[in-house]
Amino acid sequence: MSESPQQALPGQARAVIIGGGVVGCSLAYHLAKLGWSDVVLLERKQLTSGTTWHAAGLIGQLRATSNMTQLAKYSAELYGTLEAETGVATGFKQNGSLSVALTAARLEELKRGASMAKTFGLEVEVLSPGEIAERYPLLNLGGAEGGATGGVFLPKDGQADPANIAHALAKGARQKGVKIFEQTKVTAITQKDGRVTGVETERGGEKAAITADYVVNCAGMWGREVGLMAGVAVPLQACEHFYIVTEEIPDLPRDLPVLRVPDECAYYKEDAGKILLGAFEPKAKPWGMDGIPEDFCFDQLPEDFDHFAPILEAAVARLPILETAGIHTFFNGPESFTPDDRYLLGEAPELKNFYVAAGFNSVGIQSAGGAGKALAEWMEAGAPPFDLWDVDIRRMQPFQNNKSYLVARAEEALGLLYADHFPYRQFETARGIRKSPLHERLAERGACFGETAGWERANWFLPPEARAAGETAAYAYSWGRQNWFDYAAAEHKAVREGVGLFDMSSFAKLRVEGRDAEAVLQKVSANDIAVEPGRIVYTQWLNERGGIEADLTVTRLGEREFLVVTGAAVGRRDLAWLKRHIPEEAHCTVTEVTAGEAVLCVMGPKARDLLQPLTPADLGNAAFPFGTAREIEIGLALARAHRVSYVGELGWELYVPADTARHVFDTIMAAGEGIGLKLCGLHMMDSCRIEKAFRHFGHDIS
């Protein structure tokens, strides 16, 4: 499948792909389909020898969003045609998938997924327990809240041979001119002036360099280390992934659908007359913390039967045929996981023309076709073919590449694949990394914190009377109204009718400065940025096609100084995007200054009544109109007050140096006692902005 060992590496290529798993092979195939014949794929050992060869090969199509579902749907369609195109048997069959709920909460989740699937154009059926028994007669429907409560069947899902899919894609790529070299390790990635320039390699003891316009990191569980060669953060961590394969079972139906029982952390696949039982256990085992062995190739990890035993015990009760079936194989192999269970795709923010497709969280086979196609089109056009924010590598923060962080988060991330995906569900591990200067003040007053981009943010507050009664500020998840609903409703009412205070320090802040700062912002902004100093402009940033790249405010601080404020989750993306669109000859710099200032938002009809006694500045409409910003004294400190609102009420965002933020907070809280000031969380901000019909990037704007 690869070039002969005697064939020399080319000295240059349009693109070099690092990694010969199913994702690297898919990208090579799709670049070749676009006419990129000058492509080289380098594999350190042999194709599929990392994680692809031992993947379970489940082909599911329903994902969390429409765009991700379309990518998975394309994968299934592609795999259905590969065998005829390349002559490589892929084992692809659309025998459907069946997900069974053992709790009412899980059934609600499955039904919501089924409704979503219909809007995405997928065939889907919601099944009763009796209909489940017809689809999967081997299944015991008893136990757990009185037995199976229902399930969902997707007839176009299926299964395939993972390694052969990769080999078919590799063969298709080679037929279109791609050169594939095995036993070739990349030892360095070269760059100049912020742009990738190629790779250095070692092959059979000989070193060689390849210059390239593009380099793509498809290195799977080696992706983080390959990223570090380029100075690029690729946050992922390998975990042990367990499954067993039984001995052959007489008369086992060969058309059984793929079965998932997420409440028992298990999946089942008929495989050549045997049953493959795999698990995504609640607490995973990270692996390779000290590095992956140099000779790793088609390797297995040591057995840990004690770790797998609880899954197997439940599985034998669920599928009684397993009780008499012998175990042919107990398998343990590594898979890579990201901090949020979504893969990493796209151009790295740190280095131009260095692309990434890695961290597939055990859904690499079903994702590879669509991800390869989307990334190839991204490289061809220089921009994503559609909204790929779900998996865009720019959502990751630099600190998330910290090894200790990744190990801690990975223990939780694998298990969350089969956990209940409740609204507002928060990660529990690797928390408390980024905190507002007001964090302790808010915690003392009953804040329940959620996490966004590593920031701990007060989402709602437990009132004093509830704390006095012994309640704790923690989420109680459900598909109905959750435990915080009434508390957030009271906060909403306070902002609508009185006055509330909330902390927006986590929102990303970018200072854009220089002689050409105005010209740069004018070019990318839909609105007019050429305003007087002290004016605030709400705008979108547009790409060359007129599509929206960002939704934010720009405050002109001076003739050559602007402050851009955008969402915490998209701060790194917006920073990288703006930097890429500053002409080389322009006198303009962008600096992220988020942590330098806290932002206290005082909002509501009584906001002026609260703030005016605290400052000699005139806060009246004539003196301080909407859409303006100016420095004011407040208490014994200074603040830059922005009269702007994301909740639709009178109010100010107070930008305060981090070192004086607690003083300003205490001053406002003391003054607010007499007029009913209420501390509020960001769930309130979301409900208020929806009520006002203010748009949100990623939901209302894409």
Side-chain angles (χ1 to χ4, degrees):
M1 187 61 71
S2 64
E3 309 305 315
S4 70
Q6 291 76 34
Q7 185 170 342
L9 292 173
Q12 62 183 46
R14 186 175 181 188
V16 170
I17 299 169
I18 304 171
V22 68
V23 175
C25 292
S26 176
L27 177 61
Y29 173 86
H30 286 95
L31 284 173
K33 286 192 76 172
L34 290 176
W36 288 42
S37 58
D38 191 12
V39 174
V40 173
L41 186 151
L42 305 177
E43 163 56 42
R44 59 181 288 279
K45 293 293 185 182
Q46 293 173 250
L47 295 184
T48 78
S49 64
T51 61
T52 296
W53 72 278
H54 65 71
L58 311 185
I59 311 295
Q61 298 178 77
L62 179 60
R63 310 301 299 156
T65 64
S66 176
N67 285 325
M68 292 298 101
T69 298
Q70 293 310 313
L71 290 185
K73 192 176 178 184
Y74 168 80
S75 291
E77 293 166 355
L78 172 66
Y79 301 159
T81 64
L82 268 182
E83 188 167 333
E85 178 186 344
T86 65
V88 178
T90 60
F92 178 72
K93 60 178 182 177
Q94 287 182 304
N95 48 328
S97 73
L98 173 62
S99 295
V100 175
L102 303 181
T103 67
R106 181 72 68 178
L107 184 60
E108 176 68 18
E109 178 178 348
L110 292 181
K111 284 181 174 179
R112 289 181 179 220
S115 296
M116 195 166 64
K118 291 175 183 176
T119 69
F120 295 165
L122 297 180
E123 293 181 41
V124 61
E125 301 172 39
V126 177
L127 304 183
S128 67
E131 291 168 325
I132 291 172
E134 292 175 12
R135 296 275 186 188
Y136 212 104
L138 303 176
L139 195 62
N140 170 22
L141 299 177
E145 288 192 13
T149 57
V152 165
F153 180 70
L154 286 100
K156 293 294 180 67
D157 283 0
Q159 60 193 66
D161 181 320
N164 276 10
I165 285 177
H167 284 296
L169 290 164
K171 184 175 180 181
R174 286 192 73 234
Q175 288 171 342
K176 295 177 175 65
V178 173
K179 291 182 172 63
I180 297 175
F181 295 89
E182 296 180 303
Q183 304 296 337
T184 306
K185 183 179 179 181
V186 172
T187 56
I189 294 167
T190 57
Q191 56 184 284
K192 185 179 181 182
D193 299 329
R195 181 188 296 266
V196 75
T197 58
V199 300
E200 295 176 3
T201 70
E202 185 176 339
R203 182 176 182 231
E206 296 185 7
K207 300 182 185 300
I210 305 175
T211 61
D213 299 325
Y214 298 84
V215 174
V216 191
N217 179 356
C218 298
M221 59 183 171
W222 292 269
R224 179 178 179 272
E225 283 63 41
V226 170
L228 290 174
M229 291 182 199
V232 169
V234 182
L236 53 82
Q237 171 63 46
C239 286
E240 299 183 26
H241 180 50
F242 300 87
Y243 61 73
I244 64 165
V245 181
T246 68
E247 302 281 1
E248 190 165 342
I249 299 173
D251 303 320
L252 183 71
R254 298 300 180 96
D255 59 350
L256 287 172
V258 171
L259 172 67
R260 295 178 178 88
V261 187
D263 294 306
E264 293 174 343
C265 310
Y267 63 87
Y268 305 77
K269 182 184 84 164
E270 183 279 325
D271 187 8
K274 307 168 185 177
I275 291 287
L276 183 152
L277 161 67
F280 292 106
E281 65 278 17
K283 186 172 182 180
K285 292 182 66 180
W287 176 79
M289 285 77 82
D290 298 324
I292 300 169
E294 179 62 32
D295 59 355
F296 190 98
C297 180
F298 296 112
D299 282 6
Q300 299 186 33
L301 306 183
E303 293 182 3
D304 187 345
F305 204 82
D306 290 343
H307 186 79
F308 191 75
I311 305 293
L312 181 58
E313 184 179 340
V316 169
R318 187 64 51 206
L319 211 66
I321 198 170
L322 294 176
E323 193 166 1
T324 55
I327 296 177
H328 178 271
T329 304
F330 184 95
F331 186 84
N332 178 13
E335 298 265 7
S336 61
F337 288 80
T338 64
D340 60 3
D341 273 338
R342 290 179 281 143
Y343 56 88
L344 307 173
L345 197 74
E347 188 179 22
E350 301 95 331
L351 185 61
K352 188 161 180 59
N353 285 2
F354 184 80
Y355 284 78
V356 177
F360 278 81
N361 305 286
S362 253
V363 294
I365 306 303
Q366 68 187 45
S367 304
K373 181 176 188 289
L375 190 60
E377 293 174 357
W378 191 334
M379 293 168 65
E380 170 84 355
F386 47 84
D387 188 357
L388 289 167
W389 175 241
D390 285 6
V391 293
D392 193 319
I393 190 172
R394 292 173 295 178
R395 75 186 185 277
M396 289 292 156
Q397 306 301 312
F399 80 86
Q400 290 179 295
N401 212 35
N402 176 291
K403 195 69 174 174
S404 298
Y405 167 88
L406 287 169
V407 170
R409 175 58 62 86
E411 289 187 358
E412 179 184 16
L414 180 146
L416 287 178
L417 291 180
Y418 276 10
D420 289 283
H421 299 96
F422 292 117
Y424 303 102
R425 180 160 188 158
Q426 303 292 326
F427 287 100
E428 297 177 1
T429 53
R431 291 283 301 269
I433 300 161
R434 306 173 83 183
K435 293 180 179 179
S436 155
L438 306 175
H439 182 88
E440 281 70 28
R441 293 285 200 274
L442 303 180
E444 291 164 1
R445 291 165 171 82
C448 180
F449 294 96
E451 179 209 22
T452 298
W455 283 99
E456 296 294 326
R457 313 202 307 176
N459 281 343
W460 53 275
F461 284 83
L462 189 67
E465 58 273 18
R467 301 202 301 278
E471 292 185 43
T472 56
Y475 283 93
Y477 299 115
S478 79
W479 290 101
R481 289 184 173 179
Q482 295 185 8
N483 61 319
W484 51 267
F485 183 88
D486 290 338
Y487 307 141
E491 296 168 15
H492 183 119
K493 188 176 181 183
V495 170
R496 189 201 288 168
E497 299 176 0
V499 60
L501 171 64
F502 56 98
D503 180 14
M504 260 178 40
S505 302
S506 62
F507 277 55
K509 309 173 196 72
L510 314 176
R511 282 188 77 103
V512 186
E513 300 172 295
R515 186 182 66 207
D516 299 321
E518 179 190 298
V520 168
L521 290 170
Q522 280 288 70
K523 183 176 177 62
V524 300
S525 300
N527 215 334
D528 185 8
I529 305 300
V531 294
E532 294 294 316
R535 292 295 305 274
I536 304 168
V537 179
Y538 167 60
T539 189
Q540 283 82 40
W541 285 348
L542 305 184
N543 56 37
E544 291 82 354
R545 303 186 306 277
I548 298 174
E549 290 286 345
D551 181 72
L552 40 78
T553 61
V554 178
T555 301
R556 187 162 204 162
L557 303 177
E559 288 299 322
R560 298 185 175 191
E561 296 173 291
F562 297 82
L563 182 74
V564 172
V565 179
T566 187
V570 294
R572 194 167 188 232
R573 167 200 170 120
D574 293 351
L575 173 63
W577 192 86
L578 183 60
K579 282 185 170 181
R580 291 276 162 87
H581 289 81
I582 297 174
E584 288 185 12
E585 67 278 6
H587 288 257
C588 179
T589 61
V590 188
T591 309
E592 205 234 317
V593 294
T594 305
E597 291 182 317
V599 183
L600 292 76
C601 299
V602 180
M603 299 285 164
K606 296 181 180 178
R608 187 180 284 115
D609 299 339
L610 171 59
L611 289 177
Q612 188 61 82
L614 305 180
T615 179
D618 186 348
L619 302 182
N621 278 329
F624 204 145
F626 183 80
T628 60
R630 64 194 54 176
E631 188 175 87
I632 65 171
E633 297 177 11
I634 185 161
L636 306 179
L638 299 174
R640 192 179 62 256
H642 292 219
R643 185 162 169 208
V644 65
S645 171
Y646 197 40
V647 294
E649 301 292 345
L650 171 70
W652 283 264
E653 296 175 359
L654 303 175
Y655 289 72
V656 186
D659 55 351
T660 57
R662 283 179 285 276
H663 166 74
V664 172
F665 175 85
D666 294 342
T667 300
I668 294 171
M669 289 299 294
E673 290 178 3
I675 62 171
L677 172 65
K678 192 169 188 65
L679 275 176
C680 302
L682 296 190
H683 287 340
M684 170 285 308
M685 186 181 77
D686 201 36
S687 65
C688 282
R689 71 97 191 157
I690 291 171
E691 184 174 74
K692 184 65 175 178
F694 286 154
R695 276 51 170 172
H696 179 253
F697 191 79
H699 290 103
D700 315 294
I701 300 170
S702 69

